[in-house]
Amino acid sequence: MSEGTSGSGATSAGVVSNGRLPVAEVVARQLEALLTAGNYAGVKLLLEPVQPVDCAEAIGALPQTLQALAFRLLAKDEAIEVYEYLDPPVQQLLLERLRSGEVLELVEQMSPDDRVRLFDELPAKVVRRLLVELSPAERRVTAQLLGYQPETAGRLMTTEFIDLKEFHSAAQALDIVRRRARDTETVYSLYVTDASRHLTGILSLRDLVMADPEDRIGDVMTREVVNVTTTADQEEVARIIQRYDFLAVPVVDLEQRLVGIVTVDDVIDVIQQEATRDLYAAGAVQAGDEDDYFQSNLFTVARRRVVWLLVLLVANTGTSAVIASEEGVLKEVVRLAAFIPLLIGTGGNVGAQSSTVVIRGLSTQRIQALGVWRTVGREALSGLLLGLLLVIVVVPWAWQVGGGMLVATAAGISLVCITTLAATAGASLPLLFDRLGLDPALMSAPFITTATDVAGVLIYLKTASWLLNHVGLPA
């Protein structure tokens, strides 16, 4: 995706927001009214100054019957950039409704990385047809990127970058930048390669402009280059760009030859995509492609949620089994049942808190500094402390409501045990999943809550039974 230009906050290149609605929504309303009235000249005047990202959002908000018409009224150069910002369903719809020649020109002019993302969304039959119709150069680049595994640096990168040679003078390098700037993803980071395309150095556009015109690139470049391989996971690429505040990171193959770059705008998309997946997993919802949940039909929504709900339903039968097995103590002290929801609810909440902070720590890699065992120990102690603090409130209340020492003591002891166990499980299970190479987010709050429900009921009723039968506390 090409580098964007900064907007004006409350306005988008002359289109004024009313202070409550986003610019794109204001444009969409005006656009629909003009298209319905057949005022195509007015549409062109309206869209000409609008930022591409706002224009794409406005077109996506139109009824499907008007989307292709609005897109056709864009200027040719602007249409390519706007198309790259459109949501995948809108992109596919436009491909179906545009003429063959328009489609080919559109796909031909797209950035390689954006074209590959589009092809990932299209049916295989359509992709094969479009690949055949591309120019040899674009077909080769697209096939190269499609050859890498999804969600890797190779699949995410673009091949549009500027590479220089060490023997170039600063003046020669500036001439190269001027000639190639239009066809390049970014000009702020410049890469230096040798005759075999091995990456040997990097310099910024600022360094180049400030250098003496006669200086050799080899004398002003930085030789220690942070890079990633084509097989690197996209999350790793995002962390590197975030850590070093890069605008782009070079991508090399196994022989250290420069094959592409990943830019910060693509990394932002990755961060959003991964965060969406983690949030869905934390809520026990199966993630789809990108964030398409609210565009999915109700049957798809139900399918994504019912699988995990069935798993949790089966797991929750353990709670029922424990209660049934301890029926004797419940018959003898009926008031014990009143505190079951309180105890398991508290345990579930504590476990969810621990799992949330640990999963987040794994995602940001902050947890590595503390270590696995210290992390689990820290959360276990925090669970113990939380239980002791909550006992101050729960025990007097249980004594009053439960009507005796047995219920109050069982509730107090169980609460401390449950919070300690829940915090330990909430920390250790995501870490275990991470060690096994699984997504830690799968061990989310619903699973921790379900596990602590079963354990909490068992601890509570066993404690009450022991106090009743061995200590002899009155019911």
Side-chain angles (χ1 to χ4, degrees), residues 344-415:
I344 64 176
T346 302
N349 290 335
V350 171
Q353 289 176 334
S354 293
S355 66
T356 298
V357 297
V358 169
I359 290 170
R360 183 58 183 166
L362 287 169
S363 177
T364 59
Q365 294 192 321
R366 295 292 181 89
I367 212 168
Q368 278 75 356
L370 188 62
V372 172
W373 294 112
R374 289 184 63 186
T375 299
V376 174
R378 177 187 173 92
E379 286 302 310
L381 289 175
S382 71
L384 175 62
L385 179 59
L386 288 169
L388 293 173
L389 292 173
L390 293 173
V391 159
I392 299 173
V393 177
V394 170
V395 169
W397 184 57
W399 191 300
Q400 182 180 0
V401 176
M405 184 182 296
L406 174 66
V407 175
T409 304
I413 294 174
S414 300
L415 183 61

Side-chain angles (χ1 to χ4, degrees), residues 148 197-198 228-230 251-259:
Y148 295 111
R197 293 192 297 114
H198 294 119
V228 296
T229 63
T230 53
V251 182
V252 298
D253 61 16
L254 297 179
E255 298 179 3
Q256 291 298 302
R257 291 176 300 192
L258 181 63
V259 292

Side-chain angles (χ1 to χ4, degrees), residues 33-329:
L34 291 170
L35 289 169
T36 303
N39 187 354
Y40 302 143
V43 171
K44 292 181 179 180
L45 289 174
L46 173 67
L47 295 180
E48 184 177 0
V50 179
Q51 295 286 345
V53 63
D54 291 323
C55 189
E57 187 175 344
I59 291 176
L62 292 174
Q64 290 187 355
T65 54
L66 298 178
Q67 288 174 350
L69 179 58
F71 186 79
R72 277 198 174 102
L73 293 172
L74 290 169
K76 180 179 176 181
D77 292 340
E78 187 182 7
I80 302 298
E81 192 168 2
V82 169
Y83 189 81
E84 293 176 350
Y85 281 111
L86 290 169
D87 292 334
V90 182
Q91 289 181 327
Q92 293 184 46
L93 179 70
L94 290 180
L95 288 184
E96 294 170 3
R97 299 198 173 187
L98 295 177
R99 292 190 297 269
S100 179
E102 291 175 310
V103 170
L104 181 58
E105 185 177 6
L106 190 67
V107 175
E108 178 79 23
Q109 296 298 320
M110 290 180 72
S111 301
D113 52 335
D114 290 309
R115 186 189 302 126
V116 167
R117 276 191 286 278
L118 171 63
F119 282 7
D120 282 336
E121 301 291 336
L122 295 175
K125 183 178 179 180
V126 177
V127 171
R128 285 193 295 269
R129 178 174 60 81
L130 291 174
L131 272 174
V132 170
E133 294 178 349
L134 287 174
S135 65
E138 295 299 331
R139 188 189 313 133
R140 183 176 63 254
V141 170
T142 305
Q144 175 191 350
L145 298 186
L146 287 172
Y148 295 111
Q149 289 295 320
E151 301 187 0
T152 62
R155 195 64 165 264
L156 190 64
M157 71 182 184
T158 179
T159 56
E160 295 178 341
F161 58 89
I162 295 178
D163 58 325
L164 306 170
K165 303 300 179 185
E166 292 189 33
F167 58 79
H168 285 148
S169 67
Q172 289 175 319
L174 277 172
D175 286 338
I176 293 172
V177 172
R178 291 191 191 98
R179 290 198 308 268
R180 297 175 57 185
R182 284 186 177 276
D183 302 322
T184 303
E185 186 89 3
T186 179
V187 297
Y188 300 118
S189 298
L190 309 169
Y191 305 95
V192 185
T193 58
D194 61 17
S196 300
R197 293 192 297 114
H198 294 119
L199 182 62
T200 60
I202 186 175
L203 75 160
S204 66
L205 183 61
R206 174 188 292 181
D207 295 333
L208 180 59
V209 171
M210 294 179 63
D212 188 278
E214 301 302 321
D215 286 346
R216 291 176 62 256
I217 294 301
D219 297 329
V220 297
M221 72 181 190
T222 300
R223 294 188 179 273
E224 292 75 26
V225 186
V226 177
N227 60 70
V228 296
T229 63
T230 53
T231 57
D233 187 85
Q234 62 180 12
E235 284 190 90
E236 178 188 347
V237 179
R239 281 194 290 265
I240 288 176
I241 288 183
Q242 182 181 31
R243 176 181 177 85
Y244 295 101
D245 289 329
F246 286 160
L247 292 176
V249 63
V251 182
V252 298
D253 61 16
L254 297 179
E255 298 179 3
Q256 291 298 302
R257 291 176 300 192
L258 181 63
V259 292
I261 62 171
V262 176
T263 54
V264 66
D265 59 327
D266 294 323
V267 162
I268 291 173
D269 294 337
V270 168
I271 293 173
Q272 181 177 355
Q273 177 186 352
E274 296 295 339
T276 299
R277 289 180 181 178
D278 288 345
L279 285 171
Y280 281 173
V285 177
Q286 181 185 351
D289 297 329
E290 303 297 332
D291 189 10
D292 64 346
Y293 182 86
F294 295 102
Q295 283 75 46
S296 302
N297 61 58
L298 288 177
F299 290 104
T300 302
V301 168
R303 177 179 56 80
R304 290 184 185 176
R305 297 169 67 170
V306 73
V307 174
W308 290 121
L309 286 175
L310 286 172
V311 172
L312 294 171
L313 180 66
V314 172
N316 268 315
T317 58
T319 304
S320 303
V322 169
I323 293 175
S325 68
E326 299 296 327
E327 183 181 0
V329 70

